[in-house]
Amino acid sequence: RRSGRRLLPSAAHSAAMRDYPKSNWGFTLVWGLRASVFPRALCMAAPNAAVAFLLGHYMKFSPRDQELADNAFSVWAGFSSVLFFILFFRSNVAYNRWWEGGTLLQQTRGEWFNAYSSLIAFTSPDPAKEGEVEAYQHMLARLMSLLFCSALQQVSPNRERPFEIIDVEGLDPLSLKFLTDSNDRVEVILQWIQRSTILNMMNGVLPIPPPVMSRAFQEISRGIVNLQNARKIADFPFPFPYAQTSMVMLLIHWFMCPLLAAMLLDRNLAAITCFILIFFLWCVNFIALQLESPFGAADNDLPMEQMQIDWNKSVATLLAKRANQPPAFHYDVLQHRQLALIMSDGKKGLRPRLTVGKYIRRSTKSGSGNSEDGESVCSDADINSRGVLVSESSSSAPLDETTPKMQEELPAAAESKAGETKAQEKKREEKVQQAEIGLSAAPMAGAAAACAGACAAAAAASS
């Protein structure tokens, strides 16, 4: 810690985003108070309903005031329509800002994790460099944890907001001090990662050609672009004139509503009407206020603490040796060509195997009359009496259950098809021979024509 600024937090103290069960009817949401705007809206609606009830009780309007009340109601209805439109527009813009902010942070995470995964995969498999490779991977993991933490701090209203990071023991203290005092931490860490990549390419820890390595640099750059778009939401608030106008209109509506309701309705009905109108109008207003700035620490803001925790887990997972070694695969011809299906929990699948598996088995056996296990090529698919392949849905029985008549016709169909193939090959050979004869005769015809022309010219000259 330096000058009251903390770079390495011990834990995050802000609240997590409110989660709620998804039920078929949704009635359980009515009683939730955490992250709800109902308490604040109730504080605005209850006094207004009480004022409307008192006005209806003590104020007596004569029939002569009916025309005035009708005109006032027309003005109030037009004013309320404009207010509804402004609040709807503001809440829609607020939700779009909230959703875009979450989308951009997830895109940033995806791009940077792809770059991190590529750099881990590009490390040298040489046993002589195992120690250097492991040191580089652990340094990279800590830099990536710092990078995402600094990115979340950059879009947060509190730039010193603490997030969990992987322990930075082993990094240069002077470099960490420089990072703490810097106003552009994301850019500094990004430069460290790119520079360390170049240096490790030179010493053989990353023995990858530059064109392949450029992929990691591109993903890092796309991540920082997404982060800058997220900063647009954090740095550019909802326009002040629009927010000011909507608030003033809400206050005017709050004062007008009980008076006009008391003029037009019974006191009880006036109180109920004012409560409902004021309650839900201010609910929409409070929702817009909460969603306009999605990077805070309130219950309805984006779960940035959980995003950082998940990021650290993902980064640390790739440090395991099992994650960097593809699993061994023992290929069995008879078993794996079946393409059998099972459920992800290990239970039996709804179908025994993929239908395309039989075409895979046919393609592997093409060019030979028998398969590796001695079976006929035609044993993997149903064939009708004309020798045409039939799908499983249209075939009533496999080949080994065909009728004797079909079994007698199958060899004849195969011989007919072989004869047609030989006839086509013979025609193709004849065409090639004719073309060769034509090519060889063309130069001889040209020479004969040239000789005849020369003789004619000599005869003319002698005459």
Side-chain angles (χ1 to χ4, degrees):
R1 186 171 180 175
R2 180 180 176 85
S3 302
R5 301 171 65 181
R6 183 186 295 269
L7 174 63
L8 309 177
S10 58
H13 301 286
S14 55
M17 183 178 179
R18 168 67 190 269
D19 193 10
Y20 54 91
K22 314 300 189 297
S23 60
N24 293 332
W25 296 92
F27 292 144
T28 56
L29 303 178
V30 176
W31 315 110
L33 292 180
R34 182 191 165 199
S36 175
V37 296
F38 283 1
R40 282 179 289 172
L42 184 63
C43 293
M44 302 299 298
N48 192 271
V51 171
F53 181 84
L54 293 176
L55 288 176
H57 181 75
Y58 290 104
M59 296 180 64
K60 302 299 181 181
F61 297 95
S62 63
R64 293 176 299 176
D65 298 331
Q66 184 63 37
E67 183 178 357
L68 177 63
D70 293 339
N71 295 333
F73 177 78
S74 300
V75 175
W76 181 48
F79 182 84
S80 299
S81 300
V82 176
L83 179 60
F84 293 158
F85 173 78
I86 291 177
L87 289 179
F88 173 77
F89 174 78
R90 185 177 182 183
S91 62
N92 188 39
V93 171
Y95 177 76
N96 289 336
R97 287 167 60 89
W98 183 86
W99 183 257
E100 185 182 3
T103 301
L104 291 172
L105 287 183
Q106 290 292 345
Q107 289 177 347
T108 301
R109 184 194 190 280
E111 296 288 355
W112 283 349
F113 188 79
N114 284 340
Y116 170 72
S117 176
S118 297
L119 293 175
I120 293 293
F122 290 162
T123 52
S124 174
D126 186 4
K129 292 185 175 296
E130 183 177 358
E132 298 179 46
V133 168
E134 186 175 0
Y136 168 74
Q137 290 178 346
H138 278 265
M139 180 197 68
L140 182 63
R142 284 153 176 80
L143 290 180
M144 295 301 291
S145 179
L146 267 176
L147 177 65
F148 199 68
C149 170
S150 301
L152 296 179
Q153 289 176 335
Q154 196 173 70
V155 298
S156 178
N158 178 18
R159 297 300 173 90
E160 304 300 328
R161 181 178 173 182
F163 293 96
E164 288 184 355
I165 58 173
I166 300 177
D167 186 18
V168 293
E169 285 294 330
L171 294 178
D172 182 16
L174 295 178
S175 299
L176 292 179
K177 178 180 178 299
F178 172 78
L179 181 64
T180 304
D181 298 334
S182 176
N183 293 325
D184 300 315
R185 298 176 185 173
V186 174
E187 289 76 4
V188 170
I189 300 172
L190 203 65
Q191 187 66 13
W192 286 353
I193 294 174
Q194 295 182 115
R195 185 58 181 171
S196 65
T197 301
I198 298 299
L199 296 177
N200 282 279
M201 287 178 65
M202 297 176 62
N203 61 21
V205 174
L206 295 171
I208 299 298
V212 179
M213 183 61 70
S214 64
R215 173 186 174 183
F217 287 96
Q218 292 171 3
E219 290 168 340
I220 291 175
S221 65
R222 287 196 296 265
I224 193 67
V225 169
N226 290 327
L227 179 63
Q228 295 305 312
N229 288 329
R231 285 189 62 183
K232 173 188 66 177
I233 299 175
D235 296 341
F236 302 154
F238 189 78
F240 173 76
Y242 216 116
Q244 184 185 41
T245 302
S246 63
M247 180 56 66
V248 172
M249 292 185 68
L250 275 170
L251 293 175
I252 294 175
H253 184 272
W254 193 93
F255 286 105
M256 288 176 56
C257 189
L259 179 62
L260 294 175
M263 293 174 61
L264 299 171
L265 304 171
D266 177 74
R267 61 180 183 179
N268 295 325
L269 186 58
I272 295 174
T273 302
C274 289
F275 180 86
I276 294 175
L277 286 176
I278 298 300
F279 181 81
F280 288 105
L281 277 178
W282 283 85
C283 278
V284 175
N285 178 66
F286 289 136
I287 291 172
L289 287 176
Q290 287 197 2
L291 299 185
E292 284 172 2
S293 300
F295 302 119
D299 291 332
N300 290 313
D301 291 330
L302 296 173
M304 299 171 66
E305 290 83 7
Q306 189 61 41
M307 293 173 67
Q308 177 67 25
I309 293 173
D310 294 340
W311 172 260
N312 291 334
K313 291 180 180 178
S314 300
V315 168
T317 299
L318 295 192
L319 296 178
K321 290 187 177 181
R322 281 291 183 183
N324 291 300
Q325 295 177 354
F329 181 70
H330 303 287
Y331 179 65
D332 184 274
V333 176
L334 298 179
Q335 177 184 357
H336 293 116
R337 283 183 183 175
Q338 300 294 327
L339 294 181
L341 296 175
I342 61 172
M343 302 302 292
S344 59
D345 55 0
K347 297 180 180 179
K348 185 178 180 180
L350 302 178
R351 296 182 298 164
R353 65 178 184 274
L354 290 174
T355 307
V356 73
K358 62 183 181 181
Y359 299 104
I360 295 177
R361 295 194 300 273
R362 283 188 81 247
S363 63
T364 55
K365 298 171 184 178
S366 61
S368 61
N370 295 323
S371 62
E372 297 176 359
D373 53 357
E375 296 181 356
S376 174
V377 175
C378 299
S379 63
D380 291 326
D382 298 336
I383 301 177
N384 61 12
S385 58
R386 298 183 180 180
V388 180
L389 180 67
V390 180
S391 62
E392 289 182 351
S393 60
S394 61
S395 178
S396 60
L399 181 62
D400 53 0
E401 297 179 3
T402 54
T403 61
K405 183 178 179 181
M406 293 176 62
Q407 293 180 358
E408 293 176 359
E409 292 178 353
L410 283 177
E415 292 178 1
S416 176
K417 188 175 181 180
E420 292 177 359
T421 304
K422 292 181 179 179
Q424 292 177 357
E425 292 179 356
K426 187 175 181 180
K427 290 181 180 180
R428 191 181 302 110
E429 291 177 358
E430 291 177 355
K431 290 181 180 181
V432 172
Q433 291 177 1
Q434 292 176 1
E436 292 177 353
I437 293 173
L439 292 175
S440 61
M444 297 177 63
C451 182
C455 292
S462 63
S463 62

